[in-house]
Amino acid sequence: MKKLYLSTLALSLSLFSFISEAETFEADGLNYNITGDNTCEVAEGAYDGDIVIPETVINDGKEFTVTGIGERAFELTSVTTVEIPETVTTIGDWAFLDCSDLVEINIPNSVTYLGFYALGCCYALETATLSTSITVIDEELFRDCSSLTSIIIPEGVTEIKEDAFYGCSALENVQLPSTLRVLGEYVFAECSSLKYIELPEGLTSLGYSLFQRAALTGCKLPSTLEKIDACAFYQCSGMAEIELPASLRTIGGSAFYGCSKLMKITSLPTVPPIIEKESSFAQSTYDNARVIVQADAVESYSGDDMWSKFASIESLSTSGINDAVCNSANDAKLYDLRGVETDRASHKGIYIKNNKKYLAR
Protein backbone atom coordinates (compact mmCIF):
# COMPACT_ATOMS: atom_id res chain seq x y z
CA MET A 1 0.00 0.00 0.00
CA LYS A 2 2.83 2.35 0.90
CA LYS A 3 4.59 1.55 -2.40
CA LEU A 4 1.42 2.34 -4.36
CA TYR A 5 1.07 5.68 -2.52
CA LEU A 6 4.66 6.66 -3.37
CA SER A 7 4.14 5.73 -7.01
CA THR A 8 0.99 7.85 -7.18
CA LEU A 9 2.82 10.80 -5.57
CA ALA A 10 5.68 10.52 -8.03
CA LEU A 11 3.24 10.46 -10.94
CA SER A 12 1.43 13.55 -9.57
CA LEU A 13 4.68 15.48 -9.20
CA SER A 14 5.69 14.50 -12.72
CA LEU A 15 2.37 15.70 -14.14
CA PHE A 16 2.64 18.97 -12.12
CA SER A 17 6.11 19.59 -13.53
CA PHE A 18 4.87 18.95 -17.06
CA ILE A 19 1.91 21.30 -16.65
CA SER A 20 4.08 24.04 -15.12
CA GLU A 21 6.59 23.85 -17.98
CA ALA A 22 3.78 23.89 -20.52
CA GLU A 23 2.31 27.08 -19.02
CA THR A 24 5.48 29.17 -19.29
CA PHE A 25 7.70 30.01 -22.24
CA GLU A 26 10.33 32.46 -23.46
CA ALA A 27 10.25 34.56 -26.62
CA ASP A 28 12.66 37.25 -27.80
CA GLY A 29 14.20 37.74 -24.38
CA LEU A 30 10.98 37.96 -22.34
CA ASN A 31 9.36 35.29 -20.20
CA TYR A 32 5.62 34.64 -20.31
CA ASN A 33 2.92 32.84 -18.34
CA ILE A 34 0.01 31.44 -20.33
CA THR A 35 -3.22 32.85 -18.87
CA GLY A 36 -5.82 31.58 -21.33
CA ASP A 37 -6.31 29.77 -24.62
CA ASN A 38 -4.74 32.60 -26.58
CA THR A 39 -3.50 35.01 -23.90
CA CYS A 40 -0.37 35.43 -21.80
CA GLU A 41 1.34 37.83 -19.42
CA VAL A 42 4.94 38.94 -19.00
CA ALA A 43 6.58 36.88 -16.24
CA GLU A 44 9.59 37.37 -13.97
CA GLY A 45 13.04 37.51 -15.53
CA ALA A 46 16.51 39.03 -15.34
CA TYR A 47 15.73 42.05 -17.49
CA ASP A 48 17.71 45.23 -18.12
CA GLY A 49 17.89 48.21 -20.46
CA ASP A 50 15.05 49.28 -22.76
CA ILE A 51 12.15 46.83 -22.92
CA VAL A 52 9.55 46.66 -25.67
CA ILE A 53 6.64 44.36 -24.86
CA PRO A 54 4.99 43.07 -28.06
CA GLU A 55 1.25 42.87 -28.63
CA THR A 56 1.50 39.21 -29.63
CA VAL A 57 4.05 36.39 -29.34
CA ILE A 58 4.41 32.95 -30.91
CA ASN A 59 5.00 29.79 -28.92
CA ASP A 60 5.12 26.33 -30.57
CA GLY A 61 3.46 27.79 -33.64
CA LYS A 62 0.56 29.30 -31.67
CA GLU A 63 -0.08 33.03 -31.34
CA PHE A 64 -0.76 34.55 -27.92
CA THR A 65 -1.95 38.09 -27.16
CA VAL A 66 -0.03 39.78 -24.34
CA THR A 67 -2.76 41.03 -22.00
CA GLY A 68 -0.89 41.51 -18.75
CA ILE A 69 2.30 42.16 -16.82
CA GLY A 70 2.44 39.63 -14.01
CA GLU A 71 3.22 40.04 -10.33
CA ARG A 72 6.87 40.99 -9.70
CA ALA A 73 7.59 40.71 -13.44
CA PHE A 74 10.26 43.44 -13.43
CA GLU A 75 10.93 43.68 -9.69
CA LEU A 76 14.53 44.58 -8.81
CA THR A 77 15.61 44.60 -12.45
CA SER A 78 17.73 47.21 -14.24
CA VAL A 79 15.18 48.26 -16.86
CA THR A 80 15.43 51.89 -17.98
CA THR A 81 12.31 52.17 -20.16
CA VAL A 82 9.35 49.88 -20.78
CA GLU A 83 7.05 50.21 -23.78
CA ILE A 84 3.65 48.70 -22.94
CA PRO A 85 1.23 47.82 -25.78
CA GLU A 86 -2.49 48.66 -25.81
CA THR A 87 -3.30 44.95 -25.51
CA VAL A 88 -2.25 44.97 -21.84
CA THR A 89 -5.18 45.39 -19.43
CA THR A 90 -3.62 44.42 -16.08
CA ILE A 91 -0.35 45.22 -14.33
CA GLY A 92 0.15 43.03 -11.28
CA ASP A 93 1.25 43.77 -7.72
CA TRP A 94 4.93 44.72 -7.31
CA ALA A 95 5.33 44.60 -11.13
CA PHE A 96 8.03 47.32 -11.24
CA LEU A 97 8.95 47.44 -7.56
CA ASP A 98 12.46 48.77 -6.93
CA CYS A 99 13.34 49.34 -10.58
CA SER A 100 15.92 51.91 -9.55
CA ASP A 101 16.96 52.82 -13.14
CA LEU A 102 13.44 53.36 -14.51
CA VAL A 103 13.11 57.06 -15.44
CA GLU A 104 9.67 57.26 -17.03
CA ILE A 105 6.64 55.11 -17.71
CA ASN A 106 3.49 55.44 -19.77
CA ILE A 107 0.58 53.25 -18.69
CA PRO A 108 -1.69 52.86 -21.75
CA ASN A 109 -5.41 53.58 -21.52
CA SER A 110 -6.17 49.88 -22.03
CA VAL A 111 -4.99 49.15 -18.47
CA THR A 112 -7.87 48.83 -16.02
CA TYR A 113 -5.93 47.41 -13.07
CA LEU A 114 -2.65 48.77 -11.73
CA GLY A 115 -1.55 46.72 -8.74
CA PHE A 116 -0.40 47.26 -5.19
CA TYR A 117 3.12 48.77 -4.89
CA ALA A 118 3.45 48.34 -8.67
CA LEU A 119 5.86 51.29 -9.05
CA GLY A 120 7.11 51.61 -5.49
CA CYS A 121 10.74 52.52 -4.78
CA CYS A 122 11.49 53.50 -8.38
CA TYR A 123 13.89 56.15 -7.12
CA ALA A 124 14.84 57.55 -10.55
CA LEU A 125 11.24 57.77 -11.85
CA GLU A 126 10.61 61.37 -12.90
CA THR A 127 7.43 61.16 -14.97
CA ALA A 128 4.49 58.79 -15.10
CA THR A 129 1.39 58.90 -17.28
CA LEU A 130 -1.56 56.95 -15.93
CA SER A 131 -4.29 55.08 -17.78
CA THR A 132 -7.62 56.87 -18.07
CA SER A 133 -9.36 53.52 -17.52
CA ILE A 134 -8.36 52.98 -13.91
CA THR A 135 -10.73 53.92 -11.08
CA VAL A 136 -8.45 53.26 -8.09
CA ILE A 137 -4.89 54.31 -7.27
CA ASP A 138 -3.79 51.30 -5.25
CA GLU A 139 -1.85 51.20 -1.99
CA GLU A 140 1.77 52.34 -2.12
CA LEU A 141 1.62 52.66 -5.91
CA PHE A 142 4.34 55.35 -6.05
CA ARG A 143 5.72 55.00 -2.52
CA ASP A 144 9.20 56.50 -2.14
CA CYS A 145 9.49 57.51 -5.80
CA SER A 146 11.76 60.31 -4.69
CA SER A 147 12.37 61.84 -8.15
CA LEU A 148 8.72 62.10 -9.22
CA THR A 149 7.95 65.82 -9.61
CA SER A 150 4.36 65.91 -10.84
CA ILE A 151 1.36 63.68 -11.40
CA ILE A 152 -2.03 64.00 -13.05
CA ILE A 153 -4.63 61.63 -11.61
CA PRO A 154 -7.06 61.02 -14.49
CA GLU A 155 -10.79 61.69 -14.40
CA GLY A 156 -12.66 58.56 -13.40
CA VAL A 157 -10.47 57.76 -10.42
CA THR A 158 -12.69 57.64 -7.32
CA GLU A 159 -10.22 56.50 -4.68
CA ILE A 160 -6.55 56.94 -3.81
CA LYS A 161 -5.54 54.32 -1.27
CA GLU A 162 -3.14 54.55 1.63
CA ASP A 163 0.52 55.47 1.16
CA ALA A 164 0.06 55.92 -2.60
CA PHE A 165 2.56 58.81 -2.76
CA TYR A 166 4.21 58.41 0.63
CA GLY A 167 7.77 59.73 0.62
CA CYS A 168 7.65 61.27 -2.87
CA SER A 169 10.00 63.99 -1.70
CA ALA A 170 10.32 65.81 -5.05
CA LEU A 171 6.57 65.92 -5.77
CA GLU A 172 5.53 69.53 -6.36
CA ASN A 173 2.42 69.41 -8.54
CA VAL A 174 -0.62 67.19 -8.10
CA GLN A 175 -3.79 67.42 -10.18
CA LEU A 176 -6.72 65.55 -8.67
CA PRO A 177 -9.85 64.55 -10.63
CA SER A 178 -13.36 65.84 -9.95
CA THR A 179 -14.47 62.21 -9.57
CA LEU A 180 -12.32 61.61 -6.47
CA ARG A 181 -14.33 60.63 -3.38
CA VAL A 182 -11.83 58.87 -1.07
CA LEU A 183 -8.35 59.97 0.03
CA GLY A 184 -6.83 57.30 2.25
CA GLU A 185 -4.28 57.34 5.04
CA TYR A 186 -0.78 58.79 4.49
CA VAL A 187 -1.43 59.38 0.77
CA PHE A 188 0.82 62.47 0.58
CA ALA A 189 2.73 62.01 3.83
CA GLU A 190 6.41 63.02 3.78
CA CYS A 191 5.99 64.86 0.45
CA SER A 192 8.50 67.49 1.43
CA SER A 193 8.21 69.56 -1.78
CA LEU A 194 4.40 69.68 -2.01
CA LYS A 195 3.51 73.27 -1.12
CA TYR A 196 -0.05 73.67 -2.42
CA ILE A 197 -2.92 71.41 -3.41
CA GLU A 198 -6.59 71.84 -4.34
CA LEU A 199 -8.93 69.11 -3.15
CA PRO A 200 -11.95 68.45 -5.37
CA GLU A 201 -15.60 68.92 -4.51
CA GLY A 202 -17.27 65.70 -3.44
CA LEU A 203 -14.68 64.69 -0.85
CA THR A 204 -16.28 64.36 2.56
CA SER A 205 -13.28 63.33 4.67
CA LEU A 206 -9.49 63.48 4.71
CA GLY A 207 -7.60 60.32 5.67
CA TYR A 208 -5.47 59.81 8.76
CA SER A 209 -2.05 61.50 8.40
CA LEU A 210 -2.95 62.40 4.81
CA PHE A 211 -0.42 65.27 4.56
CA GLN A 212 1.83 64.38 7.48
CA ARG A 213 5.03 66.44 7.28
CA ALA A 214 4.26 67.71 3.76
CA ALA A 215 5.60 71.13 2.80
CA LEU A 216 2.13 72.64 2.48
CA THR A 217 1.79 76.38 2.79
CA GLY A 218 -1.75 76.28 1.45
CA CYS A 219 -4.58 73.83 0.83
CA LYS A 220 -7.99 74.51 -0.71
CA LEU A 221 -10.59 72.39 1.05
CA PRO A 222 -13.82 71.40 -0.74
CA SER A 223 -17.21 72.77 0.33
CA THR A 224 -18.39 69.17 0.82
CA LEU A 225 -15.83 68.32 3.51
CA GLU A 226 -17.31 67.01 6.77
CA LYS A 227 -14.32 65.57 8.63
CA ILE A 228 -10.60 66.23 8.89
CA ASP A 229 -9.24 63.01 10.32
CA ALA A 230 -6.58 62.70 13.01
CA CYS A 231 -3.09 63.91 12.05
CA ALA A 232 -4.27 64.94 8.56
CA PHE A 233 -1.96 68.00 8.53
CA TYR A 234 0.37 66.80 11.27
CA GLN A 235 3.57 68.89 11.37
CA CYS A 236 2.85 70.84 8.19
CA SER A 237 5.08 73.51 9.64
CA GLY A 238 4.82 75.90 6.68
CA MET A 239 1.05 76.36 6.83
CA ALA A 240 0.18 79.86 8.00
CA GLU A 241 -3.58 79.88 7.44
CA ILE A 242 -6.50 77.62 6.55
CA GLU A 243 -10.13 78.15 5.60
CA LEU A 244 -12.53 75.54 6.96
CA PRO A 245 -15.64 75.06 4.80
CA ALA A 246 -19.17 75.54 6.10
CA SER A 247 -19.80 71.80 5.75
CA LEU A 248 -17.10 70.80 8.27
CA ARG A 249 -18.33 68.93 11.37
CA THR A 250 -15.27 67.32 12.99
CA ILE A 251 -11.54 67.98 13.43
CA GLY A 252 -9.62 64.91 14.62
CA GLY A 253 -6.90 64.66 17.23
CA SER A 254 -3.55 66.13 16.17
CA ALA A 255 -5.10 67.18 12.83
CA PHE A 256 -3.07 70.42 12.85
CA TYR A 257 -0.59 69.55 15.58
CA GLY A 258 2.90 70.83 14.80
CA CYS A 259 1.62 73.46 12.36
CA SER A 260 3.76 76.02 14.16
CA LYS A 261 3.05 78.90 11.75
CA LEU A 262 -0.75 78.47 11.72
CA MET A 263 -1.93 81.86 12.95
CA LYS A 264 -5.14 82.42 11.01
CA ILE A 265 -8.15 80.08 10.87
CA THR A 266 -11.24 81.12 8.96
CA SER A 267 -14.04 78.82 10.08
CA LEU A 268 -17.20 79.15 7.99
CA PRO A 269 -19.55 76.69 9.79
CA THR A 270 -22.13 78.52 11.89
CA VAL A 271 -22.08 75.60 14.34
CA PRO A 272 -18.53 75.19 15.70
CA PRO A 273 -16.93 71.98 14.36
CA ILE A 274 -16.14 69.44 17.06
CA ILE A 275 -12.46 69.56 18.03
CA GLU A 276 -11.99 66.00 19.22
CA LYS A 277 -8.88 66.59 21.31
CA GLU A 278 -6.92 69.54 22.63
CA SER A 279 -3.99 68.16 20.61
CA SER A 280 -5.89 68.88 17.39
CA PHE A 281 -3.91 72.13 17.30
CA ALA A 282 -0.52 73.08 18.70
CA GLN A 283 -0.45 75.15 21.86
CA SER A 284 1.27 77.95 19.93
CA THR A 285 -1.76 78.08 17.61
CA TYR A 286 -4.18 78.31 20.53
CA ASP A 287 -2.05 81.06 22.08
CA ASN A 288 -1.61 83.21 18.97
CA ALA A 289 -4.03 82.36 16.16
CA ARG A 290 -6.94 84.53 15.05
CA VAL A 291 -10.15 82.59 14.45
CA ILE A 292 -12.48 84.37 12.05
CA VAL A 293 -16.11 83.23 11.92
CA GLN A 294 -19.50 84.31 10.63
CA ALA A 295 -20.86 87.34 12.52
CA ASP A 296 -23.77 85.40 13.95
CA ALA A 297 -21.48 82.56 15.13
CA VAL A 298 -19.06 84.53 17.32
CA GLU A 299 -21.04 83.82 20.46
CA SER A 300 -21.30 80.06 19.86
CA TYR A 301 -17.57 79.75 19.11
CA SER A 302 -16.68 81.88 22.14
CA GLY A 303 -18.83 79.64 24.33
CA ASP A 304 -17.38 76.37 23.01
CA ASP A 305 -14.99 74.64 25.42
CA MET A 306 -12.38 73.98 22.72
CA TRP A 307 -12.73 76.97 20.39
CA SER A 308 -12.61 79.37 23.33
CA LYS A 309 -8.99 78.29 23.89
CA PHE A 310 -7.87 80.35 20.89
CA ALA A 311 -6.36 83.80 21.43
CA SER A 312 -9.13 85.65 19.59
CA ILE A 313 -12.40 84.94 17.86
CA GLU A 314 -13.33 87.63 15.36
CA SER A 315 -16.25 88.29 13.07
CA LEU A 316 -16.12 88.24 9.32
CA SER A 317 -16.78 91.82 8.30
CA THR A 318 -17.63 93.62 5.13
CA SER A 319 -16.26 97.11 4.89
CA GLY A 320 -18.19 99.92 3.30
CA ILE A 321 -17.66 99.92 -0.45
CA ASN A 322 -17.06 103.01 -2.53
CA ASP A 323 -15.97 103.07 -6.13
CA ALA A 324 -12.25 102.89 -6.90
CA VAL A 325 -10.75 101.12 -9.91
CA CYS A 326 -7.11 100.04 -10.11
CA ASN A 327 -5.22 97.95 -12.66
CA SER A 328 -2.91 96.04 -10.30
CA ALA A 329 -2.48 95.19 -6.64
CA ASN A 330 0.06 96.77 -4.32
CA ASP A 331 1.17 95.73 -0.85
CA ALA A 332 -1.94 97.10 0.88
CA LYS A 333 -4.16 94.56 2.60
CA LEU A 334 -6.94 93.15 0.48
CA TYR A 335 -10.21 91.50 1.49
CA ASP A 336 -12.60 89.45 -0.62
CA LEU A 337 -16.32 90.22 -0.56
CA ARG A 338 -16.77 88.02 2.51
CA GLY A 339 -14.25 90.14 4.37
CA VAL A 340 -11.57 87.46 4.36
CA GLU A 341 -8.07 88.89 4.19
CA THR A 342 -5.91 87.79 1.27
CA ASP A 343 -2.27 88.50 0.43
CA ARG A 344 -2.94 89.46 -3.17
CA ALA A 345 -5.63 89.65 -5.84
CA SER A 346 -4.99 86.21 -7.23
CA HIS A 347 -8.00 86.31 -9.58
CA LYS A 348 -9.80 88.98 -11.56
CA GLY A 349 -12.72 90.42 -9.64
CA ILE A 350 -13.83 92.74 -6.87
CA TYR A 351 -11.90 93.08 -3.62
CA ILE A 352 -11.98 95.55 -0.73
CA LYS A 353 -8.98 97.76 -0.01
CA ASN A 354 -8.79 100.79 2.28
CA ASN A 355 -12.58 100.71 2.74
CA LYS A 356 -13.10 100.96 -1.01
CA LYS A 357 -14.01 98.67 -3.87
CA TYR A 358 -10.93 97.42 -5.67
CA LEU A 359 -11.35 95.96 -9.15
CA ALA A 360 -8.49 93.65 -10.15
CA ARG A 361 -8.22 93.13 -13.90
Side-chain angles (χ1 to χ4, degrees):
M1 187 69 178
K2 185 176 181 181
K3 184 176 182 180
L4 176 60
Y5 172 76
L6 290 173
S7 298
T8 303
L9 179 61
L11 178 60
S12 298
L13 289 172
S14 177
L15 287 171
F16 177 79
S17 177
F18 173 76
I19 291 169
S20 297
E21 289 177 6
E23 289 182 345
T24 63
F25 65 92
E26 185 272 339
D28 298 324
L30 293 177
N31 298 326
Y32 297 92
N33 295 322
I34 294 174
T35 56
D37 288 342
N38 300 98
T39 60
C40 65
E41 65 178 14
V42 180
E44 294 179 58
Y47 308 120
D48 61 16
D50 299 331
I51 302 294
V52 178
I53 300 173
E55 293 184 355
T56 60
V57 289
I58 304 295
N59 180 53
D60 288 339
K62 184 176 181 179
E63 185 177 74
F64 291 86
T65 301
V66 182
T67 60
I69 297 174
E71 289 186 2
R72 303 186 186 276
F74 294 96
E75 182 183 6
L76 285 167
T77 62
S78 299
V79 298
T80 50
T81 63
V82 179
E83 187 175 319
I84 304 171
E86 291 282 349
T87 54
V88 170
T89 59
T90 61
I91 296 177
D93 299 344
W94 311 287
F96 296 94
L97 177 63
D98 216 346
C99 289
S100 57
D101 296 319
L102 185 65
V103 176
E104 62 178 303
I105 193 164
N106 179 23
I107 308 297
N109 293 334
S110 56
V111 172
T112 58
Y113 176 75
L114 185 54
F116 164 80
Y117 222 169
L119 290 155
C121 299
C122 292
Y123 304 115
L125 186 68
E126 297 176 358
T127 58
T129 304
L130 296 175
S131 166
T132 58
S133 299
I134 59 175
T135 58
V136 174
I137 302 297
D138 216 330
E139 296 175 33
E140 303 186 278
L141 180 59
F142 290 98
R143 182 178 177 128
D144 292 322
C145 289
S146 54
S147 296
L148 186 69
T149 57
S150 65
I151 193 73
I152 297 174
I153 308 297
E155 289 293 323
V157 169
T158 60
E159 180 178 6
I160 302 178
K161 292 189 175 182
E162 62 188 65
D163 298 299
F165 295 93
Y166 184 103
C168 291
S169 55
L171 188 63
E172 296 179 352
N173 301 302
V174 177
Q175 182 176 318
L176 299 173
S178 63
T179 51
L180 187 65
R181 294 296 177 267
V182 179
L183 267 174
E185 299 179 358
Y186 295 99
V187 170
F188 296 106
E190 311 297 332
C191 289
S192 54
S193 296
L194 184 63
K195 293 184 178 180
Y196 181 78
I197 193 168
E198 292 190 12
L199 303 180
E201 296 296 313
L203 279 174
T204 58
S205 65
L206 305 184
Y208 179 87
S209 288
L210 175 62
F211 294 108
Q212 176 182 300
R213 281 190 285 267
L216 289 179
T217 58
C219 178
K220 182 178 180 182
L221 301 177
S223 65
T224 51
L225 189 66
E226 297 176 4
K227 183 176 183 179
I228 297 175
D229 214 336
C231 301
F233 294 94
Y234 180 78
Q235 289 195 355
C236 290
S237 57
M239 182 178 289
E241 62 180 273
I242 191 76
E243 180 176 301
L244 306 178
S247 56
L248 190 67
R249 299 292 176 264
T250 308
I251 300 172
S254 298
F256 293 95
Y257 188 83
C259 297
S260 55
K261 293 182 180 178
L262 184 59
M263 295 297 144
K264 180 182 176 184
I265 302 167
T266 301
S267 187
L268 299 180
T270 53
V271 176
I274 296 169
I275 297 176
E276 290 188 332
K277 295 183 179 180
E278 187 170 347
S279 64
S280 295
F281 295 88
Q283 189 60 49
S284 61
T285 301
Y286 286 118
D287 291 343
N288 300 291
R290 300 165 55 216
V291 176
I292 302 170
V293 302
Q294 305 283 0
D296 57 355
V298 172
E299 185 175 347
S300 58
Y301 276 80
S302 299
D304 183 270
D305 287 345
M306 297 303 296
W307 285 98
S308 61
K309 293 179 181 296
F310 287 95
S312 67
I313 297 175
E314 305 171 15
S315 171
L316 282 170
S317 61
T318 53
S319 301
I321 298 177
N322 300 313
D323 287 336
V325 177
C326 305
N327 286 317
S328 61
N330 57 28
D331 291 333
K333 289 184 178 180
L334 294 173
Y335 299 84
D336 63 21
L337 291 183
R338 296 169 301 169
V340 178
E341 184 181 335
T342 181
D343 293 334
R344 59 190 177 86
S346 56
H347 302 285
K348 294 179 181 178
I350 298 173
Y351 295 82
I352 301 165
K353 182 175 71 173
N354 295 329
N355 218 33
K356 295 181 179 181
K357 182 172 70 176
Y358 173 81
L359 178 61
R361 63 186 182 186

